[in-house]
Amino acid sequence: MRLTQFTDLSLRVLMRLAVEKGDLPTTRDVAAAMAVSYAHTAKAVAKLQHLGLVETRRGRGGGLELTATGRRASIGALVRELEGAGDVVDCDGAVPCPLRAACRLRGALRQAQEAFFASLDPLTLADLVEAPTGPLLVALSLAPGAD
């Protein structure tokens, strides 16, 4: 299973915020530290805010902060939400698959997809930012040019 770039970026934003100890980073700070587009990061932050995982504050002293809900959220549930409720393959697309009426592959792929999500269900952000990842995220945020 392959995640969308949006899901990948959203998870990285959450991981970055999970290790924050000082001033609240801005969306621009996070984008710079992750070496990704500000526009894409802003879209990910907006979605994470909508889901109640990130709080944003404007003005002096503002920035991004992980909410309590964000800290304890299941990674599996979050990936399901970000990826959407679609099948791995599009059997009913512009050119429908001629096997769709009797195909066993679609069901097998659906089971594999659920097994993938289920393997992520017990994980939280705390699990994802344990060493060596957490210290690397902190170092990235302190690197010259990351601010």
Side-chain angles (χ1 to χ4, degrees):
M1 165 125 196
R2 183 179 174 110
L3 297 179
T4 62
Q5 288 180 337
F6 183 78
T7 298
D8 174 46
L9 178 56
S10 297
L11 291 171
R12 289 191 284 153
V13 166
L14 290 172
M15 290 168 64
R16 168 62 181 81
L17 295 178
V19 299
E20 185 56 49
K21 301 287 186 221
D23 293 336
L24 300 180
T26 65
T27 302
R28 200 166 298 282
D29 295 336
V30 173
M34 296 291 159
V36 294
S37 156
Y38 167 76
H40 290 126
T41 305
K43 288 177 188 175
V45 166
K47 177 69 173 183
L48 296 170
Q49 181 183 17
H50 175 76
L51 294 173
L53 305 173
V54 171
E55 183 177 295
T56 62
R57 295 188 198 136
R58 292 184 174 266
R60 184 174 286 243
L64 307 175
E65 186 172 25
L66 196 58
T67 65
T69 301
R71 289 193 185 282
R72 66 176 180 269
S74 159
I75 299 302
L78 179 57
V79 170
R80 278 184 193 89
E81 180 69 33
L82 293 170
E83 288 292 308
D87 284 325
V88 176
V89 293
D90 185 10
C91 300
D92 301 314
V95 179
C97 177
L99 302 176
R100 72 184 184 282
C103 183
R104 298 181 67 187
L105 178 61
R106 187 178 194 173
L109 290 173
R110 194 175 289 136
Q111 280 183 303
Q113 180 182 33
E114 183 49 39
F116 172 79
F117 292 142
S119 71
L120 297 173
D121 281 340
L123 297 174
T124 65
L125 281 173
D127 298 315
L128 297 183
V129 298
E130 288 181 1
T133 307
L136 179 58
L137 285 163
V138 170
L140 287 173
S141 66
L142 299 175
D147 287 321

